[in-house]
Amino acid sequence: MIKIRQFGALAAVGFALSSLAQLAAADTLPPPQNVVSLSATATLDVPQDWLTVVFNTTREGADASVVQGQLKQLLETALNEARKAAKPGQVEVRTGGFSLQPRYAPKGGIAAWQGSTEMIVEGRDTQAIAQLTSRVPGLTISRVGFSLSREARQKVEGEVTAQAIEQFRARATTVSRQFGFTGYTVREVNVGTDSPGGGPVAMLRVQASRTMSDEVALPTEAGKASVNATVNGSVQMLK
């Protein structure tokens, strides 16, 4: 048993020394030759297909529970009306922020309570959402914005990524030939996508004092979002 243990220890030491020797040899290898770094970017502008409308209302009073009760009632009434038009993926309804906080008097103490609540309606059926805005009671429109739906973004990302990869390959071929080489192999590559302007942050603020009950359907016009794909990496040029 003692001899077996000694042999195992010697083998472990030998393996460690071999690994260190390989690392030392790797450090002394010359840097790779005929390697060039490249990048390529492709962009697609696509219509935004997702409409988001944010409704809100505020209330103020001396009693916090009364203000809270008023906001809850207004929100529930608005939700009941909005749910009539709800369709998964087409018209989606959800609650937004709900806050209640004190307003202090100049000399100290609570002068009143201020509260606000939000309801958010969003989806692909922009016509149904626009018509719904004229039927929501008690709440007013605070923000409106278009963006890309998740499905549309995923579809476009596949297309624009393919374009960026093709541009990277064409650029690698051109650069290799310009340097007098006949071809190349890819050493490493990174692919990334982004869609600036595609998020729901770009909102149109609507005058809060106007109630939509006196209006026709909200006029809407979708813009376009830019989806970008970037491919960068390095290639080994070949003779």
Side-chain angles (χ1 to χ4, degrees):
M1 294 298 292
I2 295 175
K3 290 182 179 181
I4 292 174
R5 290 176 180 174
Q6 289 176 341
F7 176 79
L10 291 173
V13 171
F15 176 77
L17 292 174
S18 175
S19 299
L20 290 173
Q22 291 176 358
L23 290 174
D27 290 339
T28 60
L29 290 176
Q33 301 295 315
N34 305 325
V35 174
V36 61
S37 297
L38 303 169
S39 66
T41 300
T43 301
L44 282 177
D45 293 330
V46 292
Q48 296 170 316
D49 64 335
W50 191 263
L51 175 61
T52 300
V53 180
V54 180
F55 300 83
N56 79 343
T57 190
T58 59
R59 287 294 184 274
E60 181 175 324
D63 191 320
S65 61
V66 171
V67 174
Q68 179 175 278
Q70 292 173 344
L71 292 173
K72 290 172 61 178
Q73 181 60 48
L74 289 167
L75 179 60
E76 185 60 35
T77 302
L79 285 171
N80 288 336
E81 182 61 36
R83 288 181 184 127
K84 297 176 183 179
K87 292 178 290 184
Q90 301 300 313
V91 181
E92 298 184 357
V93 180
R94 59 186 174 92
T95 56
F98 191 106
S99 66
L100 183 66
Q101 56 189 6
R103 180 170 63 83
Y104 293 96
K107 295 183 179 181
I110 297 175
W113 289 87
Q114 296 176 324
S116 65
T117 187
E118 287 184 336
M119 180 183 72
I120 301 171
V121 180
E122 56 188 352
R124 295 187 190 86
D125 194 339
T126 58
Q127 183 176 1
I129 295 173
Q131 292 174 349
L132 175 62
T133 59
S134 64
R135 304 196 306 270
V136 174
L139 274 64
T140 58
I141 296 176
S142 62
R143 300 189 303 279
V144 179
F146 276 96
S147 62
L148 279 180
S149 65
R150 181 174 60 251
E151 294 79 9
R153 182 179 291 108
Q154 289 175 346
K155 178 182 178 181
V156 174
E157 284 178 349
E159 296 175 4
V160 74
T161 297
Q163 291 185 12
I165 291 173
E166 186 60 32
Q167 291 182 20
F168 181 88
R169 294 175 60 188
R171 183 168 175 77
T173 298
T174 300
V175 171
S176 296
R177 289 176 179 173
Q178 289 174 338
F179 278 105
F181 294 86
T182 60
Y184 69 90
T185 59
V186 176
R187 288 175 55 88
E188 61 178 0
V189 66
N190 299 298
V191 181
T193 59
D194 65 89
S195 52
V201 294
M203 292 285 187
L204 169 66
R205 292 189 177 274
V206 179
Q207 188 175 352
S209 61
R210 298 175 61 189
T211 60
M212 293 307 298
S213 60
D214 299 328
E215 303 287 340
V216 296
L218 178 71
T220 60
E221 183 67 31
K224 290 187 176 182
S226 296
V227 181
N228 306 316
T230 301
V231 179
N232 58 67
S234 62
V235 298
Q236 177 78 55
M237 296 182 292
L238 305 175
K239 289 289 188 181

